[in-house]
Amino acid sequence: MLRFVLRRLLQMVLAFFGTTLIVYALMFAGQGDPIQALAGERPVTAAQRAYLTQKYHLDATGVGGFLYRYFDYLKNLLQGDLGQSLTGRSIGDILVAAWPVTVKLALIAMAVTVLIGVTAGVIAGIRRASIFDNSTLVLTLLVLGIPTIVLAPLAQYFLGVRWQLFPPTAGAQPDLYALLLPGIVLGSLSLATALRLTRTSVAENLRADYVRTARSKGLVKRRIVGVHVLRNSLIPVVTFLGVELGNLMSGAIITEGVFNIPGVGFNLFRGIRTEDGPLVVGIVSVLVVVYLISNLVVDVLYAVLDPRIRYE
């Protein structure tokens, strides 16, 4: 296990450097005038041009100059300095203010996915071909067919504006109730996927040989399902949930934008819209770390859920 973790950590380092290099290149290397790329469509004065040239070492040109600026960014990043956005605000301060909101939103979405999606998936897998099973398959198919960019405004209009069951927007300092509707919208696709995945996994394990053996020994159905079937069925579900947690942290751009939630996705979208290169690269670098760590935790949990799994 220790060798596996060390090998994965090495892979994470390589993935981190590769991802940040690609994002940095997409934001800065493809522009003819890097200073104008930093400033976006806004006019740049001579004083601002001189300041940006010195700050980002833009006097170094060519591929060597780009790599020098990239490694200078990495050096600051490894020291915990994410730099400043074009507005002059520290990117670290922006993330400190935005992370709690995004974490609450992601946890609400994950709770909805686990409590409703996984639970309904287990029931549907046990009662396969029943009315409940067929109903959940149809409903999840409808949810999967509606993208978040359509589902979020519809939920905001009907549940927030027309019926007034939830606040239509979250505001600058949203509480848990204000984040409940956005969290449900954000977790809807994950819920539908988790339900279908859990249903399929439970149904397959119920037909396995070890279940027939347990039944022949006289074990009650509750013990067979609760102890044996669920433990084996949750392995692919945990894989999905672990990866999905990283996606929820970084994929809330649409949801946070529609409901005006000042989270990480909202700031990332603002950076892309205003062509704020330092802000986009800084946020994406942190999101890459979150995504890689979540994947590592999922791989380690494999051996906990199933002792038969061993990593060489």
Side-chain angles (χ1 to χ4, degrees):
M1 176 65 74
L2 180 60
R3 292 173 58 187
F4 166 77
V5 173
L6 293 177
R7 187 168 63 249
R8 285 302 306 268
L9 288 175
L10 179 60
Q11 295 173 355
M12 288 170 57
V13 171
L14 297 177
F16 173 77
F17 285 134
T19 305
T20 53
L21 177 61
I22 293 173
V23 175
Y24 195 89
L26 290 174
M27 292 304 302
F28 298 124
Q31 301 290 337
D33 186 356
I35 295 179
Q36 194 62 53
L38 284 170
E41 298 180 355
R42 291 169 290 185
V44 182
T45 64
Q48 290 174 333
R49 182 173 290 273
Y51 170 76
L52 292 174
T53 300
Q54 180 182 6
K55 180 177 178 61
Y56 295 102
H57 308 286
L58 297 178
D59 50 345
T61 59
V63 177
F66 167 75
L67 293 177
Y68 175 80
R69 292 191 294 272
Y70 170 70
F71 285 113
D72 182 70
Y73 166 76
L74 279 183
K75 181 187 70 174
N76 295 329
L77 182 63
L78 294 177
Q79 294 175 353
D81 182 12
L82 296 174
Q84 292 182 339
S85 68
L86 295 182
T87 60
R89 187 181 177 187
S90 171
I91 298 176
D93 293 340
I94 295 176
L95 287 175
V96 167
W99 265 120
V101 180
T102 296
V103 169
K104 291 179 183 178
L105 184 63
L107 290 179
I108 292 174
M110 185 59 64
V112 171
T113 301
V114 173
L115 295 177
I116 300 178
V118 176
T119 303
V122 172
I123 297 174
I126 296 174
R127 302 178 179 179
R128 192 173 183 181
S130 64
I131 297 178
F132 180 82
D133 181 30
N134 294 329
S135 300
T136 54
L137 288 179
V138 173
L139 290 176
T140 53
L141 183 61
L142 291 176
V143 172
L144 291 173
I146 303 176
T148 306
I149 196 172
V150 176
L151 184 61
L154 288 176
Q156 183 185 46
Y157 173 72
F158 286 104
L159 299 179
V161 177
R162 187 167 182 177
W163 297 332
Q164 298 182 356
L165 299 177
F166 299 95
T169 58
Q173 296 180 344
D175 54 13
L176 288 177
Y177 180 66
L179 294 175
L180 185 58
L181 178 59
I184 295 174
V185 172
L186 180 62
S188 59
L189 297 181
S190 303
L191 184 153
T193 305
L195 193 154
R196 284 175 163 260
L197 182 62
T198 306
R199 171 193 175 275
T200 302
S201 183
V202 169
E204 289 180 354
N205 279 282
L206 283 174
R207 297 193 299 268
D209 293 336
Y210 70 88
V211 173
R212 287 193 290 269
T213 302
R215 288 172 177 168
S216 64
K217 291 181 177 180
L219 294 180
V220 296
K221 185 176 181 180
R222 180 181 301 176
R223 180 172 177 81
I224 294 175
V225 174
V227 177
H228 301 286
V229 174
L230 281 185
R231 188 167 187 173
N232 291 300
S233 301
L234 286 179
I235 294 177
V237 178
V238 169
T239 304
F240 168 76
L241 293 178
V243 175
E244 194 65 14
L245 180 60
N247 291 335
L248 292 175
M249 291 289 189
S250 58
I253 298 178
I254 297 175
T255 305
E256 292 183 356
V258 171
F259 292 95
N260 195 27
I261 302 173
V264 176
F266 180 83
N267 285 279
L268 179 59
F269 175 73
R270 185 184 64 183
I272 296 173
R273 184 182 58 191
T274 59
E275 299 184 20
D276 193 334
L279 179 61
V280 173
V281 175
I283 292 179
V284 170
S285 299
V286 176
L287 292 177
V288 168
V289 175
V290 173
Y291 191 84
L292 292 175
I293 291 176
S294 65
N295 279 268
L296 177 63
V297 172
V298 167
D299 289 338
V300 173
L301 283 177
Y302 279 168
V304 177
L305 290 174
D306 191 349
R308 296 173 300 177
I309 299 178
R310 289 292 181 267
Y311 297 108
E312 298 296 336

